[in-house]
Amino acid sequence: MLVETPLSGVRDIVLLLRSLPHMEQIDPEDITLLAEHGVPRTFAAGAQLEMCQPSGRVVHLLMGGRIEITRGTHREIVNGTGGVGFAELFADVCPPKAVALVQSTTLELPADFLFRAMEDNFSFVRSAIGANARFLLNLVGGLPQLGPTPEASLAPPAKIGGDSLVDRMSLLAGSVLDQASLDATIALARSMQKVSIERGETLFTQGDASRWWINIVSGRIRCENEAGSVEVADGYVLGVLDTIGELRRSYTARALVDVDAYRVDIEDWLSVIQTHPDLALGLLRMTSRNLLDATAALEAASPIDEVAE
Amino acid sequence: MNLPLAHIPSRERRFALSAFLTLACLVASHAILETARDALFLASIPATRLPWLYIAIAATSVAATQLGTRLLGGSGARRLTLMLATAAVITLTLSGALQHAPIAGVYLLYVWTGVQTTVILLQLWTFLGGLFTVVQAKTVYGFVGTGSVVGAIAGSAVARAMTTYLPAEALIGVAGAVMGIAGLSSLLLWQVKTARPKPGTNVHDSLMDCARFVLEQCYARRLAMMVLLGTMTITVVDYLFKSTVAARIPAEDLGSFFATVYLSLNIGSLVVQVLLVGWIVKRFNLSGALAVLPGLAWVGGFAMLVLPGAALLTVALGMKAVDGVLRHTLHRTATELLFVPLTETARRRVKLFTDLGSQKGGQALTSVLLLGLAALELDALLPYLLAGLSTLWVMSMLSIRLPYLGLVRSQLRKSTQLMPLPELDMHSLESMVAALDSDVRQEVLVAMEMLEQENKANLVPTLILHHPDDAIVLHALQMFARTRRTQALPMVQRVAQKRADHVRAAAIRCKHELDEICSPDTMRTDCTTCAPAVRANRLASLVAQGHATDEERQTLLTLAKDGEQSVQESLAQDLRVYNGAPLTPLVAVLLDSPFIPIRRHTLETMDAKRFPDRRPMLVAALRDERTRKLAQTLIAQLDEIGESMVREGLDDATQAVDLRRHLAQAAALFEPQRAADLLQDQLAREEDGYLRYWIIRSLNRVKDRNPKVKLRRTQLEAQAKRTLGRAYRYLGRRVILDSVKGAARETRGFPFILRLLRDKERQSVGRVFLLLNLTQDREDFSNLWRSIRSEERNTSAAGLELLDNALSEPLRSALRGLVEDIPDADRLAYGHSYCPFRSRSYMAVLDELEASQSASIRELTQYHRREIVGVELEETLKAPQPFGEVARVG
């Protein structure tokens, strides 16, 4: 591993960061920015990672080693590479306790730098949101979750009468868009395409590329894969996590009755969140909270999670 | 009229009131004691002894503070109460002692009066400094400082009344009692929660520790020097005043004389405190507020030099009046603000040093000078001493501004701008070469890439072509071709024969680049016998050289469209190698690929030489989020062609607004001056607010890259003023709409319109900051804007403080009106210079909104108008909204 060599300069850190799999989506100049503002730290086995420095809160990017993260009674082990404290930072909750299980090397990043960098460098936000979505999907499983789920929280159930701008904006009200400028809601409302899906029609098939999601206005859709099937109906936002996580569809969706919906294409969505950094950060905060909630929900079932290298 | 308590937030009001009462009683006690002291002293002891007493006060104050700190532990508030109680007891004891030993008692009284106030005031202001931010302090200190004046007036009025009927000795017991009341008032401050000292923090600093600390810090040094020079000047003024009074006023009248003078001065102080301090401190920058007293002292010093001796008394009295009126009001308030940006520990240390080292040291030093002049009978030099000291004081005052702003600025966050990478060192080189042996593919790839970037590609051995990982071999082949490693050809030849299809294609491409070009016949043979990637490569080569048939061209396009990712990837690389123009249809197909890396590679391979007219392709790439940055870079590399492309695109209102925005961002990547000129031209004529914003942002990027770029400041300042006016216009409309009652509020469109207007106002404010960032070089306004919006109160306060110092009126007030935490309706008064508010009806505002340039505002307004159709409702809304006169502020 590269980290066996002591890190002495920005260039070493750049080299190392660019070799990490989850950094692939980040623009090279943004990686250099991370390297410049990060502080390499080495922790002996048993040492606790500092999550608060005198200058403010920090997070760690594990570059080699093994870290145990404790949240309440739940423990998670990050092995090899990964983030420590990012979800808590973005969710605006207390940092977790993190202890090195073997000698580990991290890049310590100041929280305020991270937030500022995210405002100016879209690739950070995009990759962080994508990573959260992938983790969430991994936790909640392939099929849509019913009830108050991460997917549903992106937009609340709402009935609309007409198709005016205000009608579309009303459909989006109460969602993460409330945290951003209204221009973002307007832009997204304008870009949404009204679609009608006939009974029996297949929206997408398992394995398709995920390039859009729909806000169901009325109707019922069956989602099925090898694990089983669920039905979703009015107000549900279908297919959002695999789209923003840039994953392939994990189930096949078929209309059980005639469905009216609004479709949001990923390009439009990316364009909106790139134009409105406050929305991007709001989305990041929301997905981070959902991720922590989902992790907590799994606590009873599995006291230790291991995040693969 | 300044009514400070009304401006203090309710959560801070109680503590401010308690601090006010404590200070008022403390100063009242001091005023009573001071009258008794001066009357008793000058009646029985010559004024020439005064310097000795100044020295005694200085020495005793230092000792008392150190002793008090050690003995009276506990939190700041508790220590303050204990000090006040102790002072009350000592003063009452002195009252009794004076009857038994009059002369010694007067000496003791003189020293004690100076010591107690120094020690307790130091504790009180240090405690308050830890409670409030710079911005809060500007409001709270004004009010608390008023307590000082009120106490002084009350104290001197009591003294004046008592001296009419009683001897001066009687005042001492009353002073002790008032000090006791101060102690009781301070009990309320016990409830203030201050941050606990961190473990290991020493809250009992010795004067030597503080001195060392001050000497190490530039700002603290200047602050200490400023206080030292101020004290020296004031001490000379005090000496001149008292010696003149002792010579002219009969001893029996001294009590009532001093009581009258002090009462007059204190009433003057009250007028200044109530009418001027808050206004001066908020309206002018700190330097302006600080400069008043030293400036007047300087004038007095020179008046003494040039005016005849007969006028000396008048000047001395005048200077004492200036000192008495301003020192404990405006000057004290402004000086205390200089301590607020310091950290708690630094503030405690610097405060202790300036109050003891600088003030008492300055007093002692001046006393030595005065004694020296008296011993040498050089009293005539006193005016020169005063003029010299006041000049130095003014200079020190002026020099504190920049370090003060630097300190406030340091509270804000560091920039995230990209710095150039440091020079490559041997260690980094070793790391990269070592990484070539890594088992992890990505590490090897990155190491190769970085070695090539550093012009060290020759360190990558040709044997790497034996690597089992195809991705690594592909990368190595491309690198060898780029760096023209002809000695690698034999190895490349082996790869061209023995590896997987797409690797073979890459090897053939590499050979082509290293000048080993096949004949058309060999290529055609390969087309029929080889796997798709090599076949595609051969077809691309035939097309590029003009040897391909129509059928071969069509086959190539089919392979590009329907081929596997590796085939498309290989073709994208072929574009880099072969002659471009005949391959233009292939480019169009590959730019449509569902695979992002292929779209990116296709773009990367297009240079102006091979693809003379690639504008449509670049425009298409701008629309794609994953290829946008790259397309913008490529446009910037086109120089004149790119510039005309951007100008035409930005001028073309039929283009999608987002595409025009991406073009504005691309413009920022041109050579800085070219970019600045282009963007400023566009800013002047752009009507769309959204695009103006992106043009301004792009201009900021240009300035970030090259701070010396020449910008048209007049144009940008005018733009900032217009934008500020626009913010106030949005605010005014929102305030009118929001004041409506009844059915209109219940409609669906109403909250959307309000929110949109609020957002537009905020966006306008953000744009003003960005524009100011372009016109002002001394401050990073984009950072200020970010800081002001911070939820962290110290950061936000530091941002506001810097804003105050960076701007002049009326811009300062107008901008503060939009960013300060005050009710919306109150903000309107601050924008008078840019957009005077006029009250009008709800419907009139809707009319204005319907004519807005913003399509969103127009659309929402039209929707809302339809919602409120109904004669009764409309009639109500046509009446002007009930607004009082909005006073002009700023």
Side-chain angles (χ1 to χ4, degrees):
Chain A
M1 284 294 294
L2 282 174
V3 288
E4 285 163 9
T5 323
L7 296 167
S8 66
V10 170
R11 207 174 294 272
D12 287 357
I13 302 171
V14 170
L15 180 62
L16 183 55
L17 287 176
R18 290 186 60 185
S19 69
L20 301 180
H22 52 275
M23 288 282 153
E24 276 175 17
Q25 291 203 335
I26 297 184
D27 294 334
E29 55 268 39
D30 294 347
I31 286 188
T32 310
L33 200 64
L34 276 183
E36 279 177 351
H37 288 80
V39 181
R41 302 262 187 220
T42 302
F43 297 93
Q48 186 168 335
L49 276 69
E50 289 282 346
M51 305 303 285
C52 290
Q53 296 289 4
S55 54
R57 193 161 163 179
V58 297
V59 291
H60 291 265
L61 206 54
L62 180 62
M63 301 194 290
R66 200 170 151 88
I67 303 283
E68 183 184 74
I69 300 173
T70 309
R71 300 183 179 96
T73 55
H74 178 74
R75 284 184 296 152
E76 175 187 315
I77 293 170
V78 184
N79 205 355
T81 61
V84 180
F86 282 82
E88 286 81 0
L89 177 71
F90 297 140
D92 201 17
V93 297
C94 289
K97 184 183 171 195
V99 176
L101 296 177
V102 296
Q103 178 167 315
S104 304
T105 304
T106 72
L107 188 67
E108 181 186 284
L109 296 165
D112 62 343
F113 152 72
L114 214 55
F115 281 121
R116 291 192 58 181
M118 283 185 156
E119 274 186 34
D120 291 336
N121 303 276
F122 184 62
S123 76
F124 284 145
V125 196
R126 187 186 59 210
S127 64
I129 293 172
N132 274 357
R134 287 191 290 277
F135 276 124
L136 260 173
L137 266 182
N138 195 31
L139 285 174
V140 300
L143 286 170
Q145 299 291 298
L146 299 179
T149 64
E151 294 219 358
S153 61
L154 276 169
K159 276 280 187 186
I160 55 168
D163 190 27
S164 69
L165 181 63
V166 171
D167 292 324
R168 288 169 172 231
M169 288 165 71
S170 300
L171 186 71
L172 297 169
S175 70
V176 67
L177 285 152
D178 286 355
Q179 296 170 30
S181 138
L182 196 67
D183 279 331
T185 307
I186 292 172
L188 195 66
R190 286 203 169 117
S191 71
M192 294 193 310
Q193 303 158 52
K194 193 166 190 184
V195 290
S196 295
I197 305 146
E198 288 183 9
R199 180 183 172 188
E201 193 178 329
T202 300
L203 279 81
F204 50 78
T205 307
Q206 189 174 1
D208 284 355
S210 307
R211 305 296 304 162
W212 48 265
W213 69 82
I214 53 168
N215 286 24
I216 304 172
V217 178
S218 66
R220 217 163 68 245
I221 294 171
R222 179 189 291 274
C223 307
E224 54 192 354
N225 63 11
E226 55 284 350
S229 70
V230 292
E231 287 179 18
V232 295
D234 305 9
Y236 200 86
V237 185
L238 187 68
V240 68
L241 283 182
D242 37 11
T243 305
I244 60 177
E246 299 179 62
L247 297 168
R248 292 189 173 271
R249 300 291 187 194
S250 54
Y251 51 87
T252 297
R254 187 173 294 113
L256 292 176
V257 295
D258 288 349
V259 172
D260 283 327
Y262 281 102
R263 190 175 108 160
V264 178
D265 284 337
I266 186 68
E267 284 79 15
D268 294 328
W269 171 250
L270 288 173
S271 172
V272 171
I273 63 171
Q274 189 172 15
T275 311
H276 300 278
D278 46 349
L279 172 60
L281 289 175
L283 184 66
L284 187 57
R285 190 177 301 120
M286 191 202 75
T287 51
S288 298
R289 282 184 183 151
N290 288 337
L291 189 59
L292 291 174
D293 291 346
T295 309
L298 288 177
E299 187 178 325
S302 164
I304 296 187
D305 275 349
E306 180 131 357
V307 177
E309 188 164 356
Chain B
M1 180 75 180
N2 185 23
L3 294 171
L5 192 58
H7 296 302
I8 298 174
S10 54
R11 60 184 178 278
E12 287 142 18
R13 210 170 283 167
R14 193 164 149 212
F15 303 123
L17 193 61
S18 173
F20 171 91
L21 283 174
T22 307
L23 185 62
C25 292
L26 171 63
V27 175
S29 167
H30 177 77
I32 297 168
L33 207 56
E34 188 184 35
T35 307
R37 174 197 74 179
D38 289 347
L40 290 170
F41 184 90
L42 292 177
S44 51
I45 299 167
T48 49
R49 302 269 171 89
L50 278 172
W52 291 108
L53 288 166
Y54 293 151
I55 294 172
I57 290 171
T60 316
S61 297
V62 172
T65 305
Q66 296 293 287
L67 200 66
T69 310
R70 304 268 170 218
L71 295 180
L72 309 174
S75 73
R78 283 162 201 260
R79 198 184 309 148
L80 177 67
T81 305
L82 280 171
M83 283 181 170
L84 288 165
T86 311
V89 171
I90 292 176
T91 306
L92 289 171
T93 309
L94 263 178
S95 171
L98 208 60
Q99 291 166 8
H100 303 291
I103 297 297
V106 168
Y107 276 112
L108 273 177
L109 177 67
Y110 203 104
V111 174
W112 170 243
T113 311
V115 169
Q116 64 153 10
T117 317
T118 304
V119 174
I120 300 173
L121 277 179
L122 169 66
Q123 176 64 25
L124 177 65
W125 285 109
T126 307
F127 173 69
L128 293 179
L131 289 185
F132 306 111
T133 66
V134 176
V135 174
Q136 288 170 326
K138 280 189 173 181
T139 313
V140 176
Y141 280 16
F143 172 69
V144 175
T146 311
S148 158
V149 181
V150 169
I153 290 175
S156 47
V158 167
R160 180 71 188 86
M162 285 181 71
T163 49
T164 310
Y165 307 105
L166 296 169
E169 288 87 342
L171 298 176
I172 303 170
V174 177
V178 176
M179 186 67 84
I181 299 171
L184 291 174
S185 308
S186 69
L187 288 173
L188 271 178
L189 293 171
W190 286 30
Q191 294 169 16
V192 182
K193 286 181 184 167
T194 49
R196 277 173 186 276
K198 287 175 187 164
T201 308
N202 179 16
V203 292
H204 307 304
D205 300 297
S206 74
L207 188 61
M208 285 311 291
D209 292 338
C210 299
R212 269 193 293 275
F213 181 82
V214 167
L215 285 174
E216 285 167 7
Q217 312 288 326
C218 167
Y219 178 71
R221 272 201 310 274
R222 289 187 188 219
L223 193 51
M225 182 56 72
M226 189 193 85
V227 175
L228 176 87
L229 290 166
T231 307
M232 291 178 77
T233 311
I234 296 300
T235 306
V236 173
V237 169
D238 189 62
Y239 179 77
L240 276 169
F241 169 70
K242 283 181 181 164
S243 51
T244 310
V245 169
R248 305 285 172 93
I249 307 293
E252 63 274 18
D253 295 337
L254 282 172
S256 59
F257 173 81
F258 278 117
T260 306
V261 169
Y262 290 150
L263 180 60
S264 310
L265 292 183
N266 289 332
I267 289 173
S269 297
L270 179 66
V271 173
V272 168
Q273 184 71 34
V274 172
L275 293 180
L276 293 178
V277 171
W279 182 74
I280 290 177
V281 169
K282 288 207 110 183
R283 196 59 206 276
F284 298 96
N285 62 38
L286 200 53
S287 303
L290 280 168
V292 178
L293 178 57
L296 289 173
W298 184 83
V299 171
F302 278 86
M304 280 197 148
L305 281 178
V306 295
L307 292 176
L312 200 66
L313 176 63
T314 314
V315 177
L317 282 170
M319 288 182 67
K320 181 65 186 173
V322 166
D323 169 39
V325 168
L326 294 178
R327 180 150 55 113
H328 295 294
T329 54
L330 177 65
H331 196 71
R332 174 106 210 179
T333 305
T335 306
E336 292 302 330
L337 287 171
L338 291 173
F339 290 87
V340 178
L342 294 166
T343 62
E344 193 187 333
T345 309
R347 188 186 311 117
R348 193 180 61 244
R349 289 177 175 173
V350 178
K351 194 99 184 70
L352 188 70
F353 183 81
T354 51
D355 279 21
L356 296 181
S358 298
Q359 282 196 9
K360 298 307 161 192
Q363 240 177 7
L365 189 61
T366 316
S367 302
V368 171
L369 286 173
L370 292 174
L371 287 170
L373 289 176
L376 297 170
E377 297 184 346
L378 293 173
D379 289 349
L381 292 182
L382 272 176
Y384 289 97
L385 180 64
L386 184 58
L389 284 172
S390 57
T391 305
L392 290 173
W393 190 16
V394 170
M395 287 167 65
S396 72
M397 198 69 68
L398 295 174
S399 72
I400 198 96
R401 183 170 181 265
L402 288 180
Y404 168 74
L405 292 178
L407 193 65
V408 175
R409 204 173 285 125
S410 70
Q411 292 184 342
L412 304 183
R413 292 155 184 182
K414 282 199 286 183
S415 161
T416 57
Q417 277 181 22
L418 205 57
M419 303 292 181
L421 280 178
E423 286 295 311
L424 187 66
D425 55 30
M426 186 54 75
H427 172 79
S428 298
L429 207 56
E430 282 174 13
S431 297
M432 289 185 209
V433 174
L436 293 174
D437 282 336
S438 170
D439 296 335
V440 182
R441 172 200 289 176
Q442 192 64 17
E443 288 182 10
V444 181
L445 292 176
V446 171
M448 277 198 284
E449 200 175 310
M450 294 192 74
L451 282 167
E452 190 183 348
Q453 274 176 15
E454 300 296 339
N455 294 321
K456 301 284 182 194
N458 58 325
L459 295 178
V460 180
T462 53
L463 286 172
I464 204 163
L465 294 176
H466 282 304
H467 202 288
D469 191 320
D470 285 347
I472 291 169
V473 176
L474 277 174
H475 193 100
L477 285 167
Q478 289 165 12
M479 192 183 75
F480 290 156
R482 277 194 297 270
T483 55
R484 304 209 55 79
R485 283 275 287 277
T486 47
Q487 62 270 46
L489 271 170
M491 300 287 291
V492 175
Q493 181 60 37
R494 289 171 65 90
V495 174
Q497 291 165 353
K498 301 203 168 174
R499 297 293 289 247
D501 177 37
H502 65 288
V503 185
R504 288 182 60 200
I508 293 166
R509 197 162 45 243
C510 177
K511 280 170 61 188
H512 181 94
E513 285 182 272
L514 295 175
D515 301 330
E516 279 214 358
I517 301 168
C518 294
S519 69
D521 289 341
T522 311
M523 286 191 249
R524 285 217 165 81
T525 310
D526 286 348
C527 283
T528 51
T529 59
C530 295
V534 173
R535 192 158 73 238
N537 168 280
R538 291 321 207 178
L539 286 169
S541 180
L542 284 169
V543 172
Q545 290 173 38
H547 299 310
T549 62
D550 286 346
E551 189 187 348
E552 284 167 337
R553 281 197 189 86
Q554 195 52 48
T555 310
L556 176 64
L557 294 180
T558 308
L559 277 170
K561 197 174 175 190
D562 303 330
E564 290 184 0
Q565 184 173 356
S566 62
V567 177
Q568 292 187 7
E569 175 73 48
S570 177
L571 275 171
Q573 295 298 334
D574 289 336
L575 288 173
R576 185 170 47 79
V577 179
Y578 303 128
N579 182 28
L583 291 172
T584 304
L586 177 64
V587 172
V589 172
L590 290 176
L591 279 177
D592 244 3
S593 165
F595 307 108
I596 294 157
I598 289 164
R599 297 207 295 272
R600 287 183 63 89
H601 284 152
T602 307
L603 269 182
E604 279 166 349
T605 56
M606 295 165 57
D607 64 31
K609 195 173 157 194
R610 276 195 283 272
F611 297 92
D613 189 17
R614 53 185 185 159
R615 285 200 257 185
M617 300 169 201
L618 289 173
V619 168
L622 276 180
R623 293 198 172 97
D624 184 343
E625 191 267 322
R626 293 300 176 96
T627 52
R628 188 173 300 141
K629 248 184 178 173
L630 186 58
Q632 285 167 339
T633 310
L634 291 169
I635 289 170
Q637 287 167 2
L638 288 175
D639 293 332
E640 285 88 0
I641 298 173
E643 185 181 339
S644 70
M645 180 179 169
V646 171
R647 278 188 192 278
E648 286 165 21
L650 284 172
D651 279 335
D652 185 357
T654 61
Q655 292 275 16
V657 73
D658 274 331
L659 179 68
R660 294 169 71 203
R661 164 195 141 195
H662 302 321
L663 284 169
Q665 288 173 308
L669 303 176
F670 286 127
E671 179 276 316
Q673 197 56 53
R674 182 200 291 268
D677 292 342
L678 188 161
L679 289 165
Q680 287 173 110
D681 289 347
Q682 202 59 39
L683 183 64
R685 57 176 178 261
E686 184 54 64
E687 291 184 355
D688 187 299
Y690 173 79
L691 272 176
R692 275 201 305 272
Y693 167 69
W694 285 101
I695 292 170
I696 294 167
R697 271 192 71 152
S698 295
L699 272 170
N700 271 274
R701 279 185 191 271
V702 174
K703 196 186 174 196
D704 282 349
R705 274 197 299 141
N706 185 350
K708 291 186 178 166
V709 69
K710 285 180 188 161
L711 296 169
R712 301 168 203 155
R713 284 170 200 274
T714 314
Q715 177 198 331
L716 295 168
E717 279 165 6
Q719 185 81 38
K721 287 175 185 169
R722 279 197 298 276
T723 311
L724 199 54
R726 199 171 290 126
Y728 273 102
R729 209 154 38 243
Y730 284 127
L731 173 66
R733 288 166 179 168
R734 183 162 60 85
V735 168
I736 290 175
L737 295 187
D738 201 19
S739 66
V740 77
K741 294 176 176 63
R745 290 192 81 89
E746 309 304 321
T747 56
R748 289 172 75 201
F750 180 80
F752 283 133
I753 293 184
L754 279 197
R755 200 176 137 200
L756 189 58
L757 289 175
R758 191 199 60 200
D759 289 348
K760 295 279 179 197
E761 175 198 323
R762 282 187 191 164
Q763 286 162 7
S764 298
V765 176
R767 284 173 207 182
V768 173
F769 275 88
L770 285 175
L771 283 161
L772 290 174
N773 203 41
L774 296 171
T775 58
Q776 312 254 343
D777 292 326
R778 283 181 302 173
E779 208 59 74
D780 179 351
F781 275 84
S782 52
N783 198 23
L784 274 191
W785 177 225
R786 199 176 281 119
S787 308
I788 288 169
R789 284 180 300 160
S790 167
E791 289 173 11
E792 214 272 301
R793 70 172 195 152
N794 281 330
T795 307
S796 175
L800 285 171
E801 177 63 7
L802 283 178
L803 184 69
D804 270 358
N805 281 280
L807 299 176
S808 53
E809 291 298 340
L811 186 58
R812 174 171 41 207
S813 288
L815 207 47
R816 275 203 76 121
L818 290 168
V819 297
E820 265 195 288
D821 187 15
I822 52 175
D824 285 331
D826 293 352
R827 294 181 198 282
L828 292 169
Y830 289 88
H832 198 276
S833 303
Y834 296 92
C835 181
F837 176 77
R838 58 189 174 82
S839 190
R840 51 213 190 270
S841 73
Y842 191 89
M843 294 304 277
V845 171
L846 289 190
D847 288 343
E848 290 168 16
L849 294 179
E850 267 198 290
S852 166
Q853 286 180 347
S854 159
S856 304
I857 290 182
R858 284 199 308 271
E859 197 168 340
L860 285 181
T861 309
Q862 283 157 6
Y863 182 92
H864 183 54
R865 205 184 265 283
R866 287 195 296 274
E867 287 179 317
I868 57 174
V869 168
V871 177
E872 193 180 351
L873 187 59
E874 272 193 285
E875 285 307 315
T876 316
L877 299 177
K878 277 177 187 164
Q881 292 304 302
F883 270 97
E885 184 69 19
V886 175
R888 179 182 179 139
V889 175

